[in-house]
Amino acid sequence: MKKLFLSMMVLCLAMVAKAQNELSVATLQHGDAVSVFTGATALVTAHEASVDGDVIALSAGTFNATTITKSVAIYGAGFEESSETHTAVTKINGQLYLGAEGGETLTGVYLEGLFFNSHVTKNVSLENFEMKTCYVNGTVTIGTSSNVLLKNCVITGKIDGAKQVATNCLIENCWVGGDINTFDASSSVKINHCIACSFVGPYLCQNSIFPYYWVGAYYDRAVFANTEGATAYNCIFRNFDYNNQDKNTFIGCFAVDIKEMFTDAQNATYSATRTFEIKQPETWIGTDGKQIGIREGWSKVPRTPVVKDLQLNVEGNTLKVNYDADVR
């Protein structure tokens, strides 16, 4: 309830701020205490004032990146603007770091509804890290970690394991433009209901689409290039006959021409308007009985409520705000 209250208040403040020079607004909730920060450095100052367990909510607008060193949850207004879903864009400008170099393991960081115009990089080991409904225009570095969840995200670069061990790393309902092949081979990494557009390592892959295929002299350099020990259940590939088939396991998989995968007859390139509907949803079924690809469970909408019927009234030195809100 406190998170819900905070989110509603942030959206109200954001709308008020937009009417007053379009300030970016961050609110920090610690217990029952709420602090408000404005301007491009609002995230930085809110994080500096926070302690483990606090919640930071950001309005639409642009915020300078910072180094996250505390177990905080950060919520934004979304990564794409849409009048249909009532989402706006909370942009993080610059590279976001998880943990200070040389620091201890960072636990319990939660990110949702944010657009990163650069990389998200870890400096320390991560535990119980979650990133949902975010757009990263760059690389997400995970490295040594346990219990990591990336869900409903667009990541234009790679998901980098930094040749380190990740335990219980789940990548789900994500579109990933770069490689996912640099975790230590002993890692437990699962890719589920994703579109992964480049090389993938020896991980468990389910219900996903892998459109990458090297057209050239080395036909084995496709999705599982130089990979041994990958297992793919109910996935779609452009071609897996040459995909180190004797060194990896394919169960219930499909080989489909790139132009025949999606109803719009395009390749797998991401755009805000694409729905990634597959051509044969009744045939290309995953291990969970749902269609292969990102559509089942995919959402760009963060959990911040929709604020409606906002009314502002000034009485002397007091600004009164009245509103209704619907939970999403």
Side-chain angles (χ1 to χ4, degrees), residues 124-322:
V124 298
S125 299
L126 301 176
E127 287 184 357
N128 301 323
F129 170 67
E130 294 187 26
M131 182 166 69
K132 295 181 180 179
T133 323
C134 290
Y135 188 112
V136 181
N137 191 24
T139 291
V140 176
T141 303
I142 301 300
T144 305
S145 62
S146 61
N147 301 322
V148 168
L149 173 62
L150 306 179
K151 185 176 178 64
N152 286 334
C153 292
V154 176
I155 301 168
T156 64
K158 61 184 178 179
I159 298 176
D160 190 0
K163 299 182 180 179
Q164 297 172 346
V165 178
T167 303
N168 191 28
C169 177
L170 174 59
I171 305 164
E172 189 167 63
N173 290 110
C174 292
W175 185 97
V176 183
D179 301 339
I180 317 175
N181 68 342
T182 55
F183 291 94
D184 184 271
S186 63
S187 298
S188 53
V189 176
K190 181 179 178 180
I191 300 171
N192 187 47
H193 280 291
C194 291
I195 297 177
C197 299
S198 193
F199 297 136
V200 174
Y203 317 130
L204 173 61
C205 304
Q206 293 181 320
N207 316 318
S208 296
I209 298 175
F210 300 97
Y212 183 77
Y213 184 64
W214 183 291
V215 180
Y218 301 99
Y219 291 101
D220 63 339
R221 295 191 62 79
V223 177
F224 296 126
N226 301 323
T227 290
E228 298 182 15
T231 302
Y233 290 94
N234 298 47
C235 294
I236 296 175
F237 297 83
R238 284 180 66 178
N239 188 315
F240 55 85
D241 289 338
Y242 302 98
N243 205 4
N244 290 352
Q245 192 165 11
D246 58 333
K247 299 176 183 178
N248 300 285
T249 302
F250 300 86
I251 301 173
C253 293
F254 301 88
V256 182
D257 183 86
I258 187 65
K259 296 294 186 181
E260 297 300 321
M261 290 184 186
F262 305 106
T263 56
D264 57 12
Q266 297 183 33
N267 57 25
T269 302
Y270 178 82
S271 74
T273 58
R274 291 198 69 184
T275 60
F276 291 108
E277 296 176 69
I278 57 176
K279 283 193 173 182
Q280 300 185 46
E282 297 180 357
T283 301
W284 301 337
I285 299 297
T287 58
D288 54 3
K290 300 176 181 178
Q291 60 181 278
I292 295 171
I294 66 172
R295 284 177 57 80
E296 297 285 351
W298 168 250
S299 175
K300 302 179 185 180
V301 182
R303 290 180 296 173
T304 48
V306 177
V307 174
K308 303 184 300 182
D309 301 325
L310 180 68
Q311 297 179 3
L312 308 176
N313 296 294
V314 178
E315 296 182 5
N317 294 325
T318 302
L319 175 65
K320 291 190 174 183
V321 181
N322 295 309

